[in-house]
């Protein structure tokens, strides 16, 4: 029996030629059109755009973007793949309001 990883890859078939957002280890975040993948979760993205990270806080992204074009995301660095259609960013409900 295979581990759950194989199911994940088969699931990606429905995202081919559709927009996906990929979070990578180290905090990088890339959005693009999924063109292909393999069983190791290496991803090929076209028209990829990276969200530029904040210099002071590498875990947060800024509104700035950087066009990357056609790229390969190495499977070992992929943490999360989500469709861009039907998803939107919401405010973090766990952030505590700062004391004045």
């Amino acid at each position: 029996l295979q581990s759950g990883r194989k199911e994940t890859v088969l699931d990606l078939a429905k995202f081919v030629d559709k927009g996906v957002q990929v979070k990578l280890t180290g905090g990088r975040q890339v959005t693009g059109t999924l063109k292909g993948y393999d069983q190791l979760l290496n991803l090929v993205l076209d028209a990829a755009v990276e969200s530029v990270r904040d210099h002071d806080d590498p875990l947060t992204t800024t509104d700035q973007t950087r066009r990357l074009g056609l790229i390969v995301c190495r499977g070992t660095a992929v943490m999360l793949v989500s469709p861009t259609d039907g998803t939107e960013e919401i405010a973090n409900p766990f952030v505590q309001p700062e004391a004045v």
Side-chain angles (χ1 to χ4, degrees), residues 10-95:
L10 291 173
D11 214 18
L12 282 177
K14 63 187 173 201
F15 298 125
V16 171
D17 289 326
K18 293 190 170 65
V20 291
Q21 182 178 56
V22 181
K23 286 190 191 271
L24 303 167
T25 53
R28 293 179 93 175
Q29 191 168 304
V30 182
T31 307
T33 305
L34 183 65
K35 287 296 179 185
Y37 60 90
D38 65 12
Q39 68 273 19
L40 299 174
L41 220 59
N42 294 312
L43 308 176
V44 178
L45 298 181
D46 195 12
V49 175
E50 178 185 5
S51 299
V52 179
R53 292 179 291 171
D54 191 333
H55 286 295
D56 301 326
D57 182 4
L59 296 178
T60 59
T61 56
T62 63
D63 292 335
Q64 286 182 292
T65 57
R66 189 169 68 166
R67 291 179 181 275
L68 301 177
L70 185 67
I71 63 165
V72 174
C73 297
R74 191 139 180 245
T76 53
V78 173
M79 288 180 15
L80 178 101
V81 180
S82 64
T84 51
D85 288 346
T87 59
E88 61 184 55
E89 195 169 327
I90 61 168
N92 185 343
F94 302 109
V95 171

